[in-house]
Amino acid sequence: MASLSLTNAEIYRDLAMVMGVNRDYGQWDAQTLADAQSAIRAGRRKFYAAHEWSFLTHNITISVLAPYETGTITVVNGVVTLAGGTWPTNAAGQRIAFDGVVYEIATRTSNSEIVLVDTAVDAAALTTFKLYSTRYSLPASFSTFVGPVTVEGIQDGWCCHAHETTILPEFEVRRLLSRATAFETAGSSRGPVLFSITRTIASTEIGLPTYVLELYPLPDQAYTVRAMARISPGDSLAQADNVELVDAGFAELMRLSILSAAEQMYNGQPGVNFQMFQTELPKYIRADKVTGVARRLLPRRGGHGGADPLYQLRIAPVIIE
């Protein structure tokens, strides 16, 4: 069955009618193409900003790694050389514990060598260690968490269950990690209970941020972090790409938003597509509020250790305006 999703090729052809240019967009000059792409971006921004669409909320799962402790190390002036193992590829930015102290790793220079932030550290050959993975990159489309962040695999008496973590400012989590000691983690089975989100601008030219999740305390074993997150929509302008929305109605609403932006740009005033967009928008917002009701299983608070975890279904109320 053919899909009713909206393709960029369709958008370009429809824009040609509004702009009064050749419908074969392959024949457009650079200025006409730039104008069309400006209208597409403006229309998309208007569509996505009109409402917190539920289809922009996705499940995120992060596999927290168990400590790496294969082999032994020698440390000279903060350079840690590993014998009998291979440093994990994500070692930079993580934490390593040896001789009762936890250090931050600055860089991974090879399979057998990492460099600490503190370059005054030394340790004799055959020193044992544990490398803790506390930092995890969030998906490129990540915008913010929606609702609780839970960690699965927490040991409580005889049972293994999920619990909710608490978000703190980045500097607070890093302060706690900087004071962490190997003794704090030894024998601990609480798992991560605090986290922060670090935002970094990867490119100052385009301003697109990347996000990193940082956990505390140091993960003593493998865990699974689960959360609902709001994502940032993509901005592909390639003619062959689809605009993936939940159904044909939402795709048509985006089409109207884009065409109304083109009308404003070319005619200097709103046109028929703007009027249709304004008419249809409230209907689809109401529909989204009904179909976008969040349902999730969470552990019931106040359970006792040794008992099987009890879960309750939490269903958000349906709001119809």
Side-chain angles (χ1 to χ4, degrees):
M1 179 182 294
S3 170
L4 288 176
S5 61
L6 182 64
T7 67
N8 282 337
E10 292 177 83
I11 295 174
Y12 281 113
R13 285 194 295 269
D14 289 345
L15 283 172
M17 291 185 279
V18 174
M19 296 162 60
V21 297
N22 189 339
R23 295 189 187 182
D24 182 0
Y25 50 80
Q27 302 300 315
W28 291 355
D29 59 30
Q31 185 58 59
T32 302
L33 181 61
D35 289 345
Q37 292 178 344
S38 294
I40 291 173
R41 287 196 171 99
R44 286 178 177 171
R45 286 193 294 268
K46 183 168 68 173
F47 172 83
Y48 287 123
H51 173 62
E52 290 190 352
W53 302 106
S54 64
F55 50 80
L56 294 180
T57 302
H58 288 194
N59 288 305
I60 288 182
T61 301
I62 298 173
S63 297
V64 177
L65 302 175
Y68 181 81
E69 50 187 324
T70 301
T72 58
I73 59 173
T74 304
V75 185
V76 178
N77 295 330
V79 178
V80 185
T81 304
L82 175 64
T86 299
W87 289 126
T89 56
N90 71 329
Q94 310 295 1
R95 308 278 167 163
I96 185 171
F98 56 89
D99 291 344
V101 182
V102 179
Y103 301 95
E104 184 176 0
I105 300 170
T107 58
R108 178 190 188 273
T109 55
S110 70
N111 288 338
S112 61
E113 189 174 277
I114 58 176
V115 180
L116 305 179
V117 172
D118 185 350
T119 57
V121 179
D122 296 307
L126 303 179
T127 297
T128 58
F129 71 95
K130 285 187 178 182
L131 188 152
Y132 297 94
S133 294
T134 61
R135 293 171 60 85
Y136 294 87
S137 295
L138 293 167
S141 59
F142 176 84
S143 175
T144 185
F145 284 126
V146 180
V149 177
T150 61
V151 178
E152 297 178 2
I154 307 300
Q155 301 294 328
D156 184 5
W158 295 335
C159 70
C160 181
H161 63 89
H163 75 187
E164 189 174 327
T165 60
T166 302
I167 186 169
L168 289 179
E170 175 197 1
F171 71 88
E172 288 284 0
V173 171
R174 293 190 67 80
R175 180 181 64 83
L176 290 169
L177 287 170
S178 69
R179 297 170 56 187
T181 66
F183 174 77
E184 288 179 52
T185 306
S188 170
S189 59
R190 293 184 303 158
V193 294
L194 303 173
F195 72 93
S196 67
I197 300 173
T198 304
R199 180 183 181 187
T200 303
I201 302 299
S203 170
T204 55
E205 292 185 1
I206 58 178
L208 291 178
T210 58
Y211 295 90
V212 173
L213 181 74
E214 189 152 23
L215 303 169
Y216 178 85
L218 305 174
D220 59 304
Q221 62 181 51
Y223 295 97
T224 301
V225 175
R226 299 187 190 276
M228 293 290 290
R230 184 165 297 282
I231 65 171
S232 298
D235 191 34
S236 171
L237 296 171
Q239 286 87 348
D241 286 349
N242 287 348
V243 179
E244 295 294 348
L245 296 172
V246 289
D247 64 23
F250 288 97
E252 180 63 16
L253 188 65
M254 176 176 281
R255 173 182 167 276
L256 291 173
S257 180
I258 292 171
L259 295 181
S260 69
E263 287 175 336
Q264 184 69 46
M265 290 173 57
Y266 267 73
N267 302 327
Q269 61 184 3
V272 63
N273 288 291
F274 174 81
Q275 296 171 3
M276 293 173 64
F277 175 77
Q278 292 296 101
T279 300
E280 294 296 310
L281 178 61
K283 178 175 69 176
Y284 283 101
I285 289 178
R286 288 195 296 270
D288 187 66
K289 287 181 177 180
V290 174
T291 59
V293 173
R295 293 172 172 83
R296 58 182 178 270
L297 283 172
L298 293 174
R300 192 174 74 178
R301 297 179 184 275
H304 298 287
D308 290 335
L310 300 176
Y311 290 88
Q312 58 182 341
L313 180 61
R314 296 187 179 179
I315 305 179
V318 176
I319 302 173
I320 303 177
E321 297 179 349

